[in-house]
Amino acid sequence: MIVTKNLLTHTLAHYQTPYPEENSFTNQFLTLLEHPRCFHRDHLPGHLTGSAWIVDQSLQSVLLTHHAKLNKWLQPGGHADGDENIFAVALREAEEETGLRKFTLLREAIFDIDIHTIPQRKDFPEHLHFDIRFLFQTDQQEPLLITEESHDLKWFPLHDLEKITTNQSMLRMRNKSLSLL
């Protein structure tokens, strides 16, 4: 699937969600998309990122990475680095961060959007990630590859996600996943 900047702008302008926090993000995304360097990580105060919410074939578990720099469990994802096809970014990050290559896209549409703060590091100031998430499915039996970006990769039952995170956007994606059953 190819997602251009114009298509992304159109999609976000018409994005429908029952979650009020996501509705509050859409205008901020649209404002960001007016900037020519919004897909570059040096664009501050924030830039676009792409993520993959990866569920198993039963829609009962999600694959998360224990992010090395942020030291928390998150969905695979990362910087666009100039690539305006944010779907391709999400897929690339899923492949790079898990070692998996066989994904099924469960929804053609954007699955979720979020804006979250990334803390300051020694080489970069605190900034915002404007994250576009896509819903993928894969076989839980496929071997995983832990890279230098992660401390670990693990499948978690969706019903038990509160045991590892209080992150509201992850719990929102969990709820969206369970609603597909």
Side-chain angles (χ1 to χ4, degrees):
M1 177 168 64
I2 297 174
V3 179
T4 63
K5 185 176 183 178
N6 288 339
L7 179 58
L8 182 58
T9 300
H10 176 78
T11 301
L12 287 168
H14 297 89
Y15 186 70
Q16 299 289 316
T17 177
Y19 297 91
E21 62 273 20
E22 277 189 290
N23 284 321
S24 72
F25 296 146
T26 55
N27 284 338
Q28 295 173 72
F29 270 89
L30 293 171
T31 299
L32 177 67
L33 282 163
E34 294 173 3
H35 297 274
R37 293 195 53 80
C38 64
F39 290 93
H40 295 268
R41 71 173 72 203
D42 61 358
H43 184 271
L44 296 175
H47 42 263
L48 284 155
T49 57
S51 290
W53 185 253
I54 304 168
V55 294
D56 69 345
Q57 293 169 315
S58 70
L59 300 175
Q60 296 292 319
S61 296
V62 62
L63 180 60
L64 300 176
T65 178
H66 193 261
H67 197 279
K69 291 178 182 171
L70 297 174
N71 197 32
K72 57 175 91 170
W73 290 103
L74 299 169
Q75 73 278 0
H79 293 100
D81 289 328
D83 188 348
E84 292 185 5
N85 185 347
I86 205 69
F87 169 77
V89 171
L91 181 58
R92 179 187 72 228
E93 293 292 331
E95 292 174 346
E96 288 176 1
E97 293 183 16
T98 67
L100 299 173
R101 296 288 180 260
K102 296 178 188 172
F103 293 102
T104 300
L105 180 64
L106 289 185
R107 292 185 60 195
E108 290 286 324
I110 292 170
F111 181 60
D112 192 81
I113 61 173
D114 192 62
I115 301 172
H116 49 269
T117 302
I118 302 299
Q120 178 177 344
R121 296 197 6 239
K122 62 180 178 188
D123 58 344
F124 210 73
E126 178 180 276
H127 61 283
L128 298 173
H129 278 181
F130 289 71
D131 201 27
I132 307 282
R133 286 98 177 254
F134 294 90
L135 178 61
F136 293 97
Q137 186 176 54
T138 194
D139 184 348
Q140 198 175 129
Q141 303 308 313
E142 290 291 320
L144 302 173
L145 175 66
I146 299 170
T147 68
E148 69 279 350
E149 294 185 43
S150 301
H151 293 300
D152 200 3
L153 289 166
K154 186 175 176 182
W155 288 96
F156 290 95
L158 288 169
H159 288 290
D160 293 338
L161 215 50
E162 287 96 345
K163 292 179 181 177
I164 61 153
T165 187
T166 58
N167 181 307
Q168 291 304 302
S169 74
M170 290 177 65
L171 297 176
R172 182 177 65 236
M173 289 188 289
R174 182 269 317 267
N175 293 341
K176 288 180 179 184
S177 300
L178 291 174
S179 73
L180 299 174
L181 292 173

